[in-house]
């Protein structure tokens, strides 16, 4: 009798639940990282809505602001902020692994921790600048 | 030298007798310094000569002995029994067809490896009289970890994309292509583009990152593939957006 | 039975086999090459080589110096015409490999870097960190993929050569995953099946190194040459036999006994200096170092470990950075398998069987005595290694003689007149298939394959170890004869056709027993001490009688017949092997006299 290779297939929908024993749950992490981008998209929708309202006149914009400042509106934004932060942090963690090595003057590679530090630094700086702008510009 | 009994639970499959794979458990008196592969050779020599698995070097460099040990793709010659529990489960590498017991079919990988043209494609033919190329330690360092692949296929067993999309060229073969593309002696990007960046190429990867986690040689396939995406993007823009195709 | 017609068949896809296949494809692209290997090419044991490959490249080095080191290292048993050709071609072959993409370690300016190795006067070992063999093998394999005329048959176990009237006609192989018998009909055949370290219990060699090709050629009537010369590598890990490369000592590592004393200075290798001096102390030749270990053990100066006696390999003074750059694999191996991180503690090591200097007798064009049959690599004895191979000459040998074998096999395939022997060849192939069927048919399993293998290996260590004497060699010969007699008592517990490794282990054991027997009988007959063959009962070198190659001829069930062949000497008459301070003193004397 001859060979009869036995195929090993995975379930198209449930593969990420049956996580093998890696050092950390890569499949779950991946699903979490990718699915949180939905919240980024959601915020973009809010933002476009706001812009549209602004263009349609002060009344419409007031209505938009009202909705945003309501209890539900604030809760939604907080949730979005939390997931957006998670999404950002997970990508920061991946960044050093996904780019060509930066080199120092002596040719040595810039260590991954330094890359992360720069990313977080830039993130913090951008946040501060945004808050400052808001503080200066808001009446 | 302490000896301790362990239960080795092995997936068995003999295509001439078994309809589907089944588990069989062996009690093995394991020495303290043994690796899982030693336990398997013990079974083969003393308990059941029909147990089938591949191995050769016993020093984690030939890439023969990849298996799922406790559900993680592992080189069994570097998996120390002392790091596992009293019961150790050993299965063939995930995602590949099982030929027999712990032996999987590697045909798909071998075909993809070749398709990637993993050899130096020089700008100009170089003769022996011309002497070796000049390659600085930094140029070597750019590709170094990606040259370390032993083709053990653990990364394919860890990759959910490969599990779902059989056209995916996969971590090891793409990494090798990147390694040649990025070698200062090579000018073969155009010849490899179709396989590297086309259907089944780097863009198929969704950066789960498990391949780099299981890699026993720190080849960083996940990194190589992301870097490859960057090269491919740059290549795309220079070809279609720059006047004269970026030449 | 499946039949494949090809021009050249190559048995083995290690460094030598792949280099040969590429040579055929390059010089004769119209010829078909079938590469038959029992494992995937990248599993071949060339992959395990760590240290590097020797070839003259530095300005202050010379081909003559490489020649002299090799010939004196081999205790004048090398064929000097072969060595001349070897040292001359070495740098070219290594350069080819560089062009094919081998990631050799570099100098800051971007040239190829070299490191010192044992028994070599100047740094001439090209290295790729401490994974040189791995990189060489993968470079060759990947390069071989570009030639359409090379057709690979991976996981095909070659069982027997087809030979008719002194001329080779092909090879019979088992396709491992189906159990089917294949007949490769070829105009020329190259054997590149590697060494046979597995005849010993404690070896750096992988599971596949069972001497199959040597045994096949031997059964077909080609003599095995200089089989008694077995290299013990001085620094293997106790327990597993995993090698820590000579590169450790090339980079400056020390060997110390249990008193922390660099004992090699007591064995004509001194004086000890803090940094490595070529051809002295830790950079002496392997045979001398392994023998010194044996003496230290007799004196009670070795360290008692749970896995036997050992001495220490001390790398601590090199510092973490250098170890990580030059010896990362060594660090990984010692830390994982010995739980000793060389950055912080000395690593216990001991001599372990490493390499077969002997093998299939060939001329300098890799030809054997059978027409159309060639051999190269560790399975062959051409012979550049003589009585003791210098570290890093073997990887280069694979390239130099793999290339030559390929070229000459191609030429033979093209020029030889067709043979009219189809019927007889088919009958031979059928015979071989029947032999395998008969193994399947054996009912009663009177003997265990694993048990016979263990008995053989222990007998080899006992009688044909670092030091030998007549009585112990004789009793090893007796054990081997008995084992060959018991071999038909083995039977298969596994009757499946698919991937039957139970069957392969019986065939491999048969091959190993034949190789072991040729080795033991050659050792018995050579009543002198030379290089790695040290007889306690005949301690001196005896050039009058034994400046000759031993030739073991197969005689079926009987013990082999041992004959002799003159060594080729072109320019270096046999002299005294001197290392360390003694060599310097001699050189000074010669200079003064001139
Ligand atoms: C741990 C280690 C370290 C070493 N380090 C160095 C070093 O630093 N420098 C140096 O110069 N040398 C070194 N050596 C020696 C050198 O690596 C080997 O001598 C050399 O690689 C052998 O190459 P090969 O091509 O002859 O055989 P291998 O690489 O062993 O290949 C043999 C091939 O033959 C095939 N084969 C065997 N039997 C059969 C069969 N029955 N049917 C079909 N195919 C078969 C196998 O599948 C394989 O493909 C080292 C050796 C070891 C073990
Ligand atoms: S046996 Fe070679 S990698 Fe495990």
């Amino acid at each position: 009798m001859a060979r009869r290779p036995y195929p090993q297939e995975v379930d198209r929908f449930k593969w990420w639940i049956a996580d093998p024993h890696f050092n950390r749950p890569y499949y779950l992490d991946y699903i979490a990282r990718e699915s949180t981008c939905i919240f980024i998209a959601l915020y973009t929708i809010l933002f476009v809505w706001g812009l549209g309202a602004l263009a349609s006149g002060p009344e419409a914009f007031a209505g938009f602001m009202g909705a945003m400042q309501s209890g539900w509106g604030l809760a939604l934004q907080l949730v979005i902020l939390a997931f957006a932060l998670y999404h950002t942090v997970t990508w920061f963690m991946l960044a050093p692994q996904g780019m060509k090595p930066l080199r120092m003057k002596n040719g040595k590679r810039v260590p991954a921790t330094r890359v992360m530090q720069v990313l977080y630094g830039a993130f913090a700086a951008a946040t501060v600048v945004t808050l400052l702008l808001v503080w200066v510009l808001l009446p | 030298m302490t000896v301790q009994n362990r239960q080795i639970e092995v997936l068995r499959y003999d295509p001439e007798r078994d309809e589907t794979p089944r588990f069989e458990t062996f009690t093995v008196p394991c020495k303290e310094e043994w690796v899982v592969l030693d336990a398997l050779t013990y079974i083969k020599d003393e308990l059941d000569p029909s147990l089938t698995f591949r191995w050769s070097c016993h020093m984690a460099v030939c890439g023969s002995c990849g298996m799922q040990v406790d559900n993680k793709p592992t080189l069994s010659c570097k998996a120390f029994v002392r790091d596992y529990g009293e019961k150790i489960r050993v299965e063939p590498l995930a995602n590949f067809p099982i030929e027999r017991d712990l032996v999987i079919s590697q045909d798909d990988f071998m075909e993809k490896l070749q398709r990637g043209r993993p050899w130096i494609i020089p700008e100009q033919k170089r003769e022996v009289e011309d002497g070796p190329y000049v390659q600085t330690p930094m140029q070597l360092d750019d590709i170094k970890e990606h040259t370390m692949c032993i083709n053990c296929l653990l990364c394919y067993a860890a990759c959910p994309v490969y599990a779902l999309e059989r056209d995916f060229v996969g971590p090891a073969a793409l990494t090798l292509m990147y390694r040649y593309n990025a070698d200062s002696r090579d000018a073969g990007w155009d010849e490899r583009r179709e396989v590297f960046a086309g259907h089944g190429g780097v863009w198929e990867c969704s950066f789960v990152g498990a391949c780099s986690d299981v890699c026993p040689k720190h080849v960083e396939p996940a990194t190589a593939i992301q870097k490859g995406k960057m090269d491919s993007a740059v290549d795309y823009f220079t070809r279609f957006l720059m006047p004269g195709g970026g030449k | 039975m499946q039949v494949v017609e090809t021009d050249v068949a190559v048995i083995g896809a290690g460094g030598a086999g792949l280099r040969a296949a590429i040579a055929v494809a390059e010089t004769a692209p119209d010829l078909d090459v079938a590469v038959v290997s029992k494992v995937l090419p990248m599993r071949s044991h060339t992959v395990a080589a760590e240290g590097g490959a020797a070839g003259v490249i530095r300005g202050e080095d010379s081909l003559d110096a490489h020649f002299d080191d090799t010939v004196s290292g081999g205790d004048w048993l090398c064929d000097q015409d072969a060595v001349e050709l070897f040292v001359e071609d070495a740098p070219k072959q290594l350069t080819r490999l560089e062009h094919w993409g081998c990631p050799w370690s570099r100098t800051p300016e971007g040239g190829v870097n070299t490191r010192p190795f044992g028994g070599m006067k100047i740094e001439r070992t090209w290295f790729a960190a401490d994974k040189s063999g791995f990189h060489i093998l993968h470079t060759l394999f990947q390069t071989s993929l570009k030639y359409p005329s090379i057709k690979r048959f991976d996981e095909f176990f070659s069982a027997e050569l087809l030979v008719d009237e002194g001329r080779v006609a092909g090879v019979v192989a088992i396709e491992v995953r189906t159990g089917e018998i294949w007949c490769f009909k070829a105009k020329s055949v190259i054997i590149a099946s590697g060494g046979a370290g597995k005849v010993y219990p404690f070896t750096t060699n992988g599971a596949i190194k069972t001497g199959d090709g040597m045994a096949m050629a031997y059964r077909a009537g080609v003599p095995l040459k200089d089989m008694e010369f077995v290299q013990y590598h001085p620094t293997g890990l106790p327990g597993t036999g995993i090698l820590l490369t000579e590169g450790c000592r090339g980079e400056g590592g020390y060997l110390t006994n249990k008193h922390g004393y660099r004992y090699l200075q007591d064995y004509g290798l001194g004086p000890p200096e803090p940094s490595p001096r070529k051809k002295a102390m830790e950079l002496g030749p392997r045979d001398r170092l392994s023998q010194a270990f044996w003496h230290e053990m007799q004196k009670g100066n070795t360290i008692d470990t749970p896995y036997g006696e050992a001495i220490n390999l001390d790398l601590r003074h090199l510092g973490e950075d250098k170890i990580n750059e030059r010896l990362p694999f060594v660090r990984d191996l010692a830390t994982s398998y010995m739980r000793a991180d060389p950055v912080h503690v000395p690593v216990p090591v001991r001599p372990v069987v490493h390499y077969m200097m002997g093998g299939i007798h060939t001329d300098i064009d890799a030809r054997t005595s059978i027409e159309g049959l060639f051999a190269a690599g560790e399975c062959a004895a051409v012979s550049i290694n003589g009585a003791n191979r210098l570290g890093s000459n073997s990887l280069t040998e694979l390239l130099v003689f793999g290339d030559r074998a390929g070229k000459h096999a191609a030429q033979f395939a093209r020029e030889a007149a067709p043979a009219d022997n189809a019927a007889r060849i088919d009958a031979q192939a059928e015979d071989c298939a029947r032999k395998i069927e008969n193994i399947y048919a054996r009912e009663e399993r009177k003997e265990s394959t694993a048990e016979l293998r263990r008995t053989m290996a222990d007998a080899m260590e006992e009688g044909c170890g670092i030091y030998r004497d007549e009585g112990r060699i004789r009793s090893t010969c007796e054990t081997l004869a008995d084992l060959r007699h018991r071999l038909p008592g083995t039977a298969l517990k596994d009757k499946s056709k698919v991937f039957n490794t139970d069957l392969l282990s019986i065939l491999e054991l048969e091959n190993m027993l034949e190789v072991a027997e040729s080795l033991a009988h050659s050792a018995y007959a050579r009543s002198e001490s030379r290089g790695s063959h040290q007889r306690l009962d005949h301690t001196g070198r005896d050039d009058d009688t034994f400046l000759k190659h031993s030739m073991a001829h197969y005689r079926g069930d009987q013990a082999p017949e041992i004959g002799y062949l003159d060594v080729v000497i072109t320019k270096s008459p046999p002299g005294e092997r001197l290392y360390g301070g003694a060599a310097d003193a001699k050189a000074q004397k010669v200079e003064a006299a001139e």
Side-chain angles (χ1 to χ4, degrees):
Chain A
M1 242 168 77
R3 56 191 280 261
R4 193 161 49 84
Y6 185 85
Q8 301 194 76
E9 304 290 350
V10 297
D11 186 304
R12 193 152 282 278
F13 299 104
K14 288 190 292 191
W15 60 268
W16 52 279
I17 303 173
D19 213 24
H21 295 184
F22 300 131
N23 292 333
R24 60 184 179 82
Y26 277 87
Y27 296 177
L28 276 174
D29 282 0
Y30 163 75
I31 292 290
R33 184 183 85 213
E34 298 297 310
S35 58
T36 46
C37 76
I38 292 170
F39 293 90
I40 309 260
L42 207 57
Y43 191 75
T44 318
I45 292 171
L46 289 185
F47 194 73
V48 171
W49 177 25
L51 280 181
L54 192 64
S56 327
E59 246 163 69
F61 190 64
F64 167 76
M65 290 301 278
M68 289 299 100
Q69 285 161 356
S70 70
W72 284 108
L74 284 175
L76 179 65
Q77 289 177 77
L78 272 179
V79 170
I80 289 178
L81 179 66
F83 281 111
L85 275 177
Y86 177 84
H87 193 74
T88 311
V89 168
T90 49
W91 273 105
F92 280 6
M93 273 164 40
L94 282 179
Q97 216 197 345
M99 57 191 256
K100 301 205 174 182
L102 300 170
R103 294 193 183 275
M104 297 183 285
K105 271 219 187 73
N106 63 5
K108 288 231 168 83
R109 296 185 188 189
V110 176
T113 48
R114 177 50 57 84
V115 175
M116 304 255 273
Q117 280 164 6
V118 170
L119 285 173
Y120 279 108
F123 182 45
T127 310
V128 169
V129 169
T130 315
L131 289 177
L132 270 178
L133 278 178
V134 170
W135 187 61
V136 171
L137 292 182
L138 268 196
Chain B
M1 245 183 288
T2 51
V3 176
Q4 204 185 3
N5 273 343
R6 290 185 197 254
Q7 308 296 319
I8 310 286
E9 192 184 17
V10 192
L11 194 76
R12 305 295 309 263
Y13 172 67
D14 179 351
E16 298 191 355
R17 291 196 305 177
D18 302 317
E19 208 38 56
T20 53
R22 63 194 159 83
F23 279 105
E24 185 171 357
T25 304
F26 300 91
T27 304
V28 179
C30 292
K31 289 188 187 150
E32 208 255 328
E33 76 281 5
W34 271 15
V35 289
V36 170
L37 178 63
D38 295 323
L40 295 176
T41 32
Y42 178 91
I43 297 172
K44 188 164 185 66
D45 284 352
E46 310 299 331
L47 307 175
D48 183 356
S50 74
L51 181 67
T52 307
F53 50 95
R54 294 188 176 102
W55 72 286
S56 176
C57 70
H58 197 289
M59 58 189 282
V61 70
C62 76
S64 308
C65 70
M67 299 166 196
Q68 305 280 128
V69 181
D70 275 358
N71 201 19
K72 181 181 178 183
T74 311
L75 290 180
S76 57
C77 70
K78 219 187 167 193
F80 291 87
V81 291
R82 60 176 180 253
D83 298 334
Y84 293 84
E86 195 267 328
K87 186 170 191 159
I88 307 175
R89 175 178 275 209
V90 187
E91 297 160 274
L93 278 182
N95 298 338
F96 293 97
I98 308 174
E99 288 284 354
R100 185 174 177 191
D101 291 353
L102 301 169
V103 171
I104 49 138
S105 165
Q106 312 169 352
D107 298 354
D108 185 48
F109 169 72
M110 293 301 276
E111 186 275 320
K112 285 170 173 163
L113 184 77
Q114 173 144 18
R115 221 196 300 156
R117 308 175 87 70
W119 53 81
I120 293 279
I121 302 173
E123 185 119 43
Q124 270 177 340
K125 195 168 179 333
R126 201 176 170 93
E127 303 297 336
V128 169
E129 297 72 47
D130 303 333
Y133 289 92
V134 170
Q135 182 174 60
T136 64
M138 203 148 66
Q139 287 173 323
L140 175 62
D141 189 62
D142 278 341
I143 55 168
K144 200 161 169 190
E145 65 262 41
H146 308 315
T147 64
M148 299 290 186
C149 174
I150 60 172
N151 301 171
C152 64
L153 307 188
L154 302 193
C155 52
Y156 284 75
C159 176
V161 179
Y162 180 65
L164 295 166
E165 172 54 82
R166 292 309 166 122
D167 288 343
F168 183 39
V169 176
L174 285 172
T175 302
L176 199 60
M177 293 179 79
Y178 176 81
R179 168 251 179 280
Y180 278 100
N181 283 339
D183 192 310
S184 59
R185 297 165 286 192
D186 184 86
W189 171 272
D190 288 340
E191 285 189 38
R192 296 190 195 99
R193 180 191 293 114
E194 188 52 38
V195 180
F196 191 64
H199 172 73
V202 285
W203 296 103
E204 218 75 50
C205 163
S206 50
F207 203 178
V208 173
C211 52
S212 288
D213 182 60
V214 298
C215 177
K217 297 283 136 184
H218 312 291
V219 174
E220 299 294 347
T223 304
I225 293 175
Q226 310 323 308
K227 292 193 288 193
K229 287 179 188 170
M230 265 193 272
D231 290 348
S232 156
V234 170
D235 169 65
Y236 182 84
F237 284 110
T238 44
R239 277 194 307 142
F240 291 109
L241 301 180
M242 300 274 281
K247 288 274 155 85
Chain C
M1 191 180 307
Q2 306 263 1
V3 178
V4 174
E5 308 252 356
T6 183
D7 295 301
V8 182
V10 182
I11 304 173
L18 291 170
R19 186 65 190 87
I22 293 174
V24 179
E26 287 209 318
T27 50
D30 55 315
L31 296 186
D32 285 332
V33 190
V35 179
V36 181
S37 170
K38 67 177 174 178
V39 292
L40 293 188
M42 57 278 193
R43 317 295 185 219
S44 306
H45 208 60
T46 297
V47 79
E50 299 169 17
V56 171
I57 182 172
R58 291 165 81 102
E60 68 272 31
D61 201 358
S62 71
L63 298 181
D64 279 341
H66 192 185
F67 173 93
D68 286 337
D69 287 345
T70 303
V71 170
S72 66
D75 220 347
W76 277 272
L77 203 66
C78 316
D79 280 338
Q80 296 181 8
D81 52 347
V83 179
E84 280 181 49
L85 183 154
F86 165 75
V87 298
E88 208 265 322
D89 198 32
K92 297 182 194 159
Q93 291 291 342
L94 295 172
T95 303
R96 283 311 288 284
L97 215 54
E98 198 276 342
H99 293 174
W100 289 335
C102 188
W104 296 119
S105 292
R106 300 286 174 162
T107 61
E109 299 74 39
V112 172
N113 209 350
T114 48
R115 68 164 40 131
F117 240 64
M120 300 271 192
K121 199 150 68 189
I122 294 173
E123 302 74 344
R124 65 168 72 95
T125 298
W126 302 36
F127 63 102
D130 53 359
K131 290 224 182 136
S132 310
F134 160 80
H135 284 301
I136 290 175
L137 183 69
H138 281 249
T139 302
L140 286 171
F141 167 56
Q142 287 155 14
T143 301
S144 79
L145 294 173
K146 81 177 177 204
Y147 301 98
S149 62
I150 299 179
K151 205 152 180 279
R152 284 201 332 275
F153 295 84
D154 295 338
E155 301 196 317
F156 279 67
F157 182 96
S158 306
E160 214 67 79
L161 292 172
L162 297 170
V163 178
D164 185 57
E165 296 187 332
R167 173 154 166 202
V168 78
V171 55
V172 180
I174 307 168
E175 181 181 16
V176 179
R177 71 177 179 188
T178 59
E180 253 188 277
I181 307 293
W182 289 55
C183 176
F184 292 86
K185 294 192 174 171
K187 298 185 184 122
S188 52
V189 174
I190 302 169
I191 306 182
S193 59
K198 278 289 167 190
V199 301
Y200 285 85
F202 189 60
T203 169
T204 61
N205 285 195
I208 59 173
K209 300 197 73 166
T210 51
D212 303 342
M214 293 180 184
M216 270 187 277
Y218 179 53
R219 284 195 294 267
V222 185
L224 296 183
K225 187 184 347 173
D226 292 337
M227 288 303 289
E228 64 273 40
F229 297 99
V230 178
Q231 179 162 80
Y232 277 74
H233 194 294
T235 59
L237 293 181
T240 54
I242 289 173
L243 176 83
L244 300 188
T245 172
E246 191 159 293
C248 296
R249 286 167 282 129
E251 298 297 343
Y254 298 150
L255 291 178
T256 55
N257 64 17
K258 78 174 178 198
H259 309 295
Y261 175 68
R262 289 172 72 191
Y263 60 90
L264 291 173
Q265 57 191 290
D266 297 350
Y267 300 92
L269 291 158
E273 284 166 15
S275 56
R277 197 170 74 147
K278 265 71 87 182
K279 292 183 82 166
M281 290 299 290
E282 284 83 2
L283 289 181
R286 292 179 179 170
D287 54 342
R288 290 285 172 83
L289 264 58
S290 294
Q291 288 149 18
F293 170 87
W294 187 89
H295 289 291
E296 284 294 290
M297 192 162 72
Q298 306 303 312
K299 291 182 196 164
N301 287 340
T302 46
I303 301 153
D304 190 23
T305 78
Y307 323 108
E309 296 295 311
I311 36 109
N312 274 330
L313 174 64
D314 196 343
L315 301 175
R316 289 174 296 178
H317 55 286
L318 303 182
E320 182 162 1
D321 283 349
K322 185 158 187 187
I323 292 179
N324 284 345
E325 189 212 324
R326 298 292 178 88
L327 304 165
F329 191 36
V330 163
R331 185 174 184 192
D332 177 23
L333 290 171
T335 311
S336 313
Y337 292 96
M338 209 62 218
R339 289 205 259 185
D341 181 350
V343 171
H344 304 296
V345 287
V347 184
V349 292
R350 54 161 294 171
V352 35
V353 167
H354 185 56
Y355 183 87
M356 298 281 158
M357 266 70 77
I360 303 166
H361 167 53
T362 74
D363 67 9
I364 60 174
D365 292 332
R367 269 189 214 101
T368 70
S369 52
I370 292 180
E371 245 191 305
L373 181 66
F374 299 78
E378 190 171 341
C379 67
V382 53
S383 112
I384 62 152
N385 298 312
N388 169 60
R389 170 181 75 102
L390 287 194
S392 77
N393 265 351
S394 168
L395 287 173
T396 313
E397 178 184 359
L398 307 179
L399 304 171
V400 172
F401 292 97
D403 184 31
R404 285 182 88 76
K407 285 180 179 148
H408 287 99
Q411 193 186 2
F412 184 89
R414 206 194 278 298
E415 290 170 3
D420 175 28
N421 54 11
R424 291 196 298 273
I425 291 301
D426 288 345
Q428 268 186 39
E430 291 298 337
D431 276 350
C432 179
R434 209 162 310 119
K435 173 181 153 188
I436 289 158
E437 266 164 42
N438 287 343
I439 298 180
Y440 270 102
R442 286 184 209 155
E443 282 300 332
E444 200 191 348
R445 197 161 168 268
K446 283 179 281 205
E447 304 279 359
S448 134
T449 319
E451 179 58 36
L452 297 191
R453 190 172 56 222
R454 242 184 329 258
T455 313
M456 165 194 71
D458 291 342
M460 292 303 287
E461 181 70 37
E462 179 59 27
C464 301
I466 298 179
Y467 279 94
R468 308 160 172 184
D469 63 45
E470 187 181 326
R472 281 184 301 163
I473 306 177
R474 191 185 316 113
S475 94
T476 296
C477 291
E478 283 160 10
T479 309
L480 293 173
D482 178 52
L483 289 172
R484 282 188 69 194
H485 184 69
R486 284 162 64 188
L487 186 66
T490 56
L492 296 179
K493 185 143 179 236
D494 181 355
K495 304 275 186 189
S496 179
K497 291 276 181 204
V498 177
F499 225 101
N500 191 325
T501 44
D502 196 15
L503 169 68
L504 300 189
S505 53
I506 291 183
L507 297 176
E508 287 174 340
L509 178 60
E510 179 181 3
N511 292 333
M512 284 194 285
L513 283 172
E514 283 165 7
V515 169
E517 210 175 34
S518 73
L519 195 163
H521 284 269
S522 304
Y524 184 79
R526 186 177 285 274
S527 43
E528 65 154 356
S529 290
R530 180 188 298 271
S532 68
H533 173 73
Q534 293 293 317
R535 292 273 300 247
L536 293 166
D537 48 351
H538 298 275
T539 50
R541 191 174 90 187
D542 174 4
D543 284 338
D544 292 341
T545 329
F546 286 113
L547 187 60
K548 285 186 166 55
H549 300 296
S550 329
M551 308 288 265
H553 299 267
Y554 182 71
R555 289 195 307 169
D557 291 340
Q558 291 176 314
E561 180 188 303
I562 308 296
Y564 291 94
L565 179 74
D566 282 339
V567 172
V568 178
I569 291 180
T570 56
K571 56 185 186 188
S572 170
E576 202 183 348
R577 284 175 82 201
L578 293 174
Y579 292 94
D584 291 349
K586 168 102 182 284
Q588 266 164 17
K589 230 169 47 205
V590 170
E591 232 166 72
E594 277 170 7

